[in-house]
Amino acid sequence: MKRIPVAGPWITEREVQYVADAAAHDWYEQAGTYCRRFERAFADYVGSRHAVSVPHCTAAIHLSLAALGVGPGDEVIVPDVTWIASAAPIKYVGAETVFADIDPVSWCLSAESFEHRITARTKAVIPVELYGNLPDMDAIRALADKHQIAVIEDAAEAFGSTYRGRRAGSMGDTGVFSFHGSKTLTTGEGGMLVTDRDDLHQRVLSLRDHGRPPGDTGFYNQEVAFKYRLSGVQAALGLAQVERGDELVARKREIFSWYQEELGDLPGVSLNAETAGAVNSYWMTTVVWDAALGVSKVELAAQLRERGIDTRPFFYPLSSLPAYQNSPHAAIARQQHHAAYRVSPHGLNLPSSFRLTRDEASVVAGHLRHLLQQASAADRSAA
Ligand SMILES: *Cc1c(COP(=O)(O)O)cnc(C)c1O
C-alpha cells in the first residue's frame, strides 16, 4: 500500500540546476556566492534589512539569544506548545525557560499569559507562529516594548505568512526560520536569522564564525564563539526555493482549502485559524476536535496509520515532557495552562506534503470524518 506522507518538499529542475552549479563553481574566487545570493533574496522576500544563513533554526535561536546578551540569571518566555527547538537554546545560554499559555484560537502565544509571566528578570520572549498561524503580534510587541523585552520571532513554520501586511519573521528584534526537509522552504537542513538591527547583525556574523569579525582574513579571533554557517550547496537549493516562494505558499494554501472544503462543516472540529490581520501560509493543515468526541490524538493517529495515512501529533505542552520534568516553571504551567492542555491532546497535523493530491486529501478527510463520527457515537452509547 502506498502511504500518504505527512510532509515533504517540492523540488524542481531549478533547484537541481542551482545545486549542480554550486557544487561545480561555488569555490575559489566564487566561493560564498550562493550564500550571499540566498541571504539577499531571503531578506527581500521577508522584508528585513539583513539575513544570515545558518545550519538550522536551532542555531538561529541560539545566536539570537547570544547576540542579545541573554545569559545566567535571565528569564526567557516561550509558549508552552511548540517544537522543543524553540526553547532548547534558552538552556544553551544558561538562562531560565519560562512557559506561557497559548491562545485557544490561534494556538500561538497568548498575549495575556505572556504579560502574566513577565518579571524584572525577563530578557526575551519567543513568540512562535505555530503551523503557519499568527499570534497577536501587536499586543505582544506592545508588552515587550513596555517592559524592554527583546522579541525573537520563531517563524520556522510560517514562511510566507503575513500579519497586517508584514511578513512573518520581520516583526521581532530577530526572526528565525527553519529549512528542514519537512518545512515549506527547504535546504535539507538549514536556517536563517533575519533582523533590521545593524548592531545585532554585526554581532551575529561574528558569533557564528568563531568570533571572527565579518571579512576577517587574519584568523585573529576576538572571542570564543560558535561555528554556525550554511554551505554553498545548501544555499543554492534555498535560493531556488525562495525564488519560488510565492508558488510554494500558494500550494500550501490550496492544500488547506481542500481540507477546508471537506471538513469545514464537521461539528466540534476546527482547522488552523486565520486570525485578525493574518494571512496564513498553512505549513501544515492541522485539525483540532472537541474533547467531547471522546478520542485522543494517539488513538486517531494509530487508526489513520492503519489506513496508510501518516500524521503528526499536535505538539505536547513542553511542560508535560520528561525534558522539563524538574523545572519549577513547568510545574506552574501544568497547573495553569488550560488552553495548552485542552488543545494539545486532541489535535493532529494532516498530510500536507507538496506531493498531496486533491484525491488524497479527500481520502484522508473521509477516514477522519468517519473515525471521529464513530468515536462520538461510541461515546454517546457509553454515556
Ligand atoms: C522546525 C522548527 C524549529 C527548528 O528548526 P531546525 O532547523 O530543525 O533547527 C524551531 N522552531 C519551530 C517552531 C520549528 O517548527
Side-chain angles (χ1 to χ4, degrees), residues 56-58 61 82-83 85-86 128 154 156-157 178-180 183 190:
H56 35 72
C57 181
T58 307
I61 299 172
T82 180
W83 176 230
S86 305
V128 179
D154 185 345
E157 303 181 1
S178 171
F179 309 137
H180 178 260
K183 298 287 164 48

Side-chain angles (χ1 to χ4, degrees), residues 85-356:
S86 305
I90 301 167
K91 184 148 188 204
Y92 304 168
V93 298
E96 250 176 85
T97 309
V98 176
F99 305 102
D101 203 1
I102 56 167
D103 176 273
V105 175
S106 72
W107 310 332
C108 298
L109 178 67
S110 150
E112 210 183 330
S113 182
F114 164 43
E115 181 168 28
H116 200 67
R117 294 282 181 247
I118 295 170
T119 73
R121 298 203 287 146
T122 309
K123 278 287 172 60
V125 61
I126 309 179
V128 179
E129 286 147 353
L130 206 72
Y131 309 135
N133 297 6
L134 281 297
D136 184 349
M137 279 304 285
D138 282 351
I140 290 168
R141 191 77 243 193
L143 285 165
D145 289 348
K146 181 172 155 203
H147 296 274
Q148 296 187 309
I149 295 167
V151 177
I152 299 168
E153 187 186 355
D154 185 345
E157 303 181 1
F159 173 80
S161 287
T162 63
Y163 177 83
R164 302 195 196 285
R166 296 189 66 176
R167 282 255 159 80
S170 69
M171 295 172 275
D173 291 271
T174 68
V176 296
F177 292 85
S178 171
F179 309 137
H180 178 260
S182 65
K183 298 287 164 48
T184 297
L185 185 157
T186 193
T187 60
E189 294 278 2
M192 196 73 84
L193 185 158
V194 300
T195 183
D196 285 339
R197 284 179 53 179
D198 298 338
D199 60 331
L200 287 179
H201 179 232
Q202 290 301 308
R203 189 81 192 105
V204 164
L205 288 176
S206 171
L207 284 172
R208 73 148 175 179
D209 199 12
H210 284 311
R212 294 168 66 180
D216 168 64
T217 49
F219 294 85
Y220 198 70
N221 309 75
Q222 301 295 327
E223 65 187 311
V224 177
F226 311 103
K227 178 62 196 292
Y228 283 150
R229 298 186 63 134
L230 193 73
S231 74
V233 172
Q234 289 170 300
L237 184 47
L239 176 63
Q241 290 259 289
V242 76
E243 287 176 354
R244 296 178 51 236
D246 288 342
E247 186 180 24
L248 297 176
V249 171
R251 176 61 65 83
K252 288 287 188 184
R253 287 183 60 82
E254 187 180 20
I255 290 169
F256 179 85
S257 77
W258 299 338
Y259 285 121
Q260 176 78 36
E261 275 170 49
E262 300 269 351
L263 299 168
D265 64 334
L266 258 189
V269 169
S270 43
L271 302 176
N272 314 48
E274 214 161 41
T275 44
V279 179
N280 196 321
S281 62
Y282 300 118
W283 169 52
M284 287 228 193
T285 299
T286 302
V287 61
V288 168
W289 58 94
D290 286 352
L293 294 181
V295 64
S296 74
K297 63 184 172 188
V298 176
E299 290 162 341
L300 197 58
Q303 290 166 341
L304 289 167
R305 196 176 310 122
E306 282 169 21
R307 289 160 178 79
I309 297 162
D310 289 336
T311 61
R312 284 189 187 178
F314 206 100
F315 292 124
Y316 287 85
L318 294 174
S319 60
S320 73
L321 296 174
Y324 290 101
Q325 200 172 356
N326 300 320
S327 151
H329 298 289
I332 295 167
R334 285 195 288 274
Q335 292 196 338
Q336 297 182 355
H337 290 177
H338 302 297
Y341 282 81
R342 193 169 72 241
V343 172
S344 165
H346 307 105
L348 284 180
N349 304 130
L350 300 181
S352 306
S353 88
F354 283 107
R355 265 203 210 156
L356 190 80

